Amino acid sequence: MKNLSHPLQNPLQPNPQTPEKERRELQDDDVEIEDIHNKPRCEWDFNLSTVVSSTSSSNFAAAISDTLGVILFDPSDRLLATGGISRKIRIYRTESLLPSPDEELLTSSSYQLLDHANACDFYICTPAKLSSLRWKPGSAGGVLGSADYDGVVTEYDLERRLPVFERDEHGGRRVWSMDYSPSDPVMGASGSDDGTMQMWDPRCDDGECLAVVQPSAVRSPVCCVEFNPFGGELIAVGCADRRVYGYDVRRLADPLMVLDGHQKAVTYIRFMDSHTLVTSAIDGCLKTWHTADQRLIRTFTGHVNTRRFVGLSVWRGGGLVSCGSEDNRVVVYDKRWGEPIWVNTFEPPFGPAGRESEQLGFVSSVCWSQMGEDRCTLVAGGSDGVLQLFSGRKRCD
């Protein structure tokens, strides 16, 4: 392993030089505790804007083979990438999926219906089913990293639509999650069924291994990894042993924190801000944690999740969290309350014959755009391969 150690501040502790704005944010969690006894209120109007389906997938077998496992906006929200069981990375231009602001009528029940074949800007065929996608920092949305069921991490050059980097160091075991550090030079990390989180250097042709970490003593699968996107040296790792581990990337021998509160495997981790983690598990709960003191802030319940990966996304500008549900619904939480503020049933699409599909699926992936303060976009993907885009606007009252 390369020497990543140097005497810097503990990544779990607030910086004493933190600007006043960030110091106020560090106090937000204490303010939120006061809201726990208040009834959740939705300050947003959400409207279904677009449905993207495959009219050629008119039977259950064809639909299930297109299950969407991951949806991801690029850093500029200009592009949308999807991946999953179909062995395809699809790239969409966001502007082609959403109506213009002049055309958008949030009070209308109408929406545009598109077909993947026409709505997709282009697609890249992959050798295996995909479990994770990440945009590579510094590539201006030009390089997309993926992790797959065969245990391989691959980077794709979207301009040439070709793989430019490949790493296979998990012994052929499924890689559930991969991520890039926000630092320069960029490091990569991947978590696998082999029970390890590996850090590697994507600048090297063979993805030189920087470190291998086994968070669980019994080698439980690593289901999710996430660098702190706000900077610093913290990487969070979620495992099937129900725990979340936090490591300083410069000293990976022992975890800096262990968050123990979920009852089943932890499937997703997202940073809401520099000091707050959101976690999801197949115990049907989301949780927020304060990393500095490893304190549980809130538990969110109201969706169904006992078996599958159903997605997790945070919209940091609005303080909103979304996930899918095994009863075919998309659910939105406000970070201030533990109950949903908005729930929408994922209506089955209409096939070529105009008949509604009768099979009940589940919402398997979600993603917020990060732009804007009083307007937002939420994209949800289903086990039938259908994308649904929702536009949101903050209420004036």
Side-chain angles (χ1 to χ4, degrees), residues 104-149:
E104 190 178 79
L105 299 174
L106 292 179
T107 57
S108 171
S109 60
S110 63
Y111 57 87
Q112 60 177 341
L113 181 61
L114 305 176
D115 185 272
H116 282 296
N118 298 321
C120 176
D121 197 45
F122 65 90
Y123 65 86
I124 299 172
C125 292
T126 63
K129 301 172 184 178
L130 298 176
S131 54
S132 182
L133 293 173
R134 289 289 182 172
W135 297 95
K136 188 174 183 179
S139 71
V143 177
L144 187 65
S146 71
D148 66 33
Y149 281 39

Side-chain angles (χ1 to χ4, degrees), residues 61 65 180 198 252 290 308 364:
S65 67
Y180 293 108
Q198 298 188 14
L252 290 163
H290 198 290
R308 302 178 172 98
S364 53

Side-chain angles (χ1 to χ4, degrees), residues 185-358:
V186 171
M187 295 181 289
S190 51
S192 169
D193 263 344
D194 68 0
T196 70
M197 183 272 288
Q198 298 188 14
M199 291 187 59
W200 34 272
D201 190 339
R203 296 171 297 168
C204 300
D205 291 339
D206 59 351
E208 179 184 356
C209 188
L210 303 176
V212 178
V213 177
Q214 181 185 315
S216 169
V218 296
R219 214 175 180 88
S220 295
V222 175
C223 301
C224 46
V225 297
E226 178 102 337
F227 285 96
N228 187 341
F230 298 91
E233 312 299 332
L234 180 65
I235 183 171
V237 181
C239 292
D241 68 355
R242 307 176 299 178
R243 297 180 177 87
V244 176
Y245 301 85
Y247 292 91
D248 184 329
V249 299
R250 303 160 300 178
R251 294 178 289 273
L252 290 163
D254 297 298
L256 291 171
M257 67 176 186
V258 179
L259 306 179
D260 191 354
H262 282 291
Q263 300 303 308
K264 291 186 179 180
V266 177
T267 50
Y268 296 95
I269 297 171
R270 297 290 182 264
F271 280 85
M272 174 63 78
D273 51 49
S274 61
H275 60 280
T276 308
L277 273 179
V278 184
T279 60
S280 173
I282 55 172
D283 57 3
C285 296
L286 310 182
K287 294 179 182 290
T288 51
W289 311 80
H290 198 290
T291 59
D293 56 10
Q294 304 179 43
R295 171 170 54 90
L296 175 64
I297 300 171
R298 184 150 298 118
T299 298
F300 304 82
T301 58
H303 62 284
V304 180
N305 187 198
T306 60
R307 297 173 53 198
R308 302 178 172 98
F309 285 66
V310 295
L312 174 69
S313 185
V314 299
W315 180 36
R316 301 181 181 101
L320 302 182
V321 182
S322 182
C323 64
S325 184
E326 290 169 13
D327 58 359
N328 218 30
R329 301 188 302 169
V330 58
V331 180
V332 173
Y333 296 94
D334 186 303
K335 68 177 184 179
R336 295 171 292 179
W337 299 292
E339 299 174 21
I341 62 166
W342 184 78
V343 177
N344 189 80
T345 301
F346 217 67
E347 297 294 341
F350 288 88
R355 293 187 304 172
E356 197 171 347
S357 170
E358 295 179 356

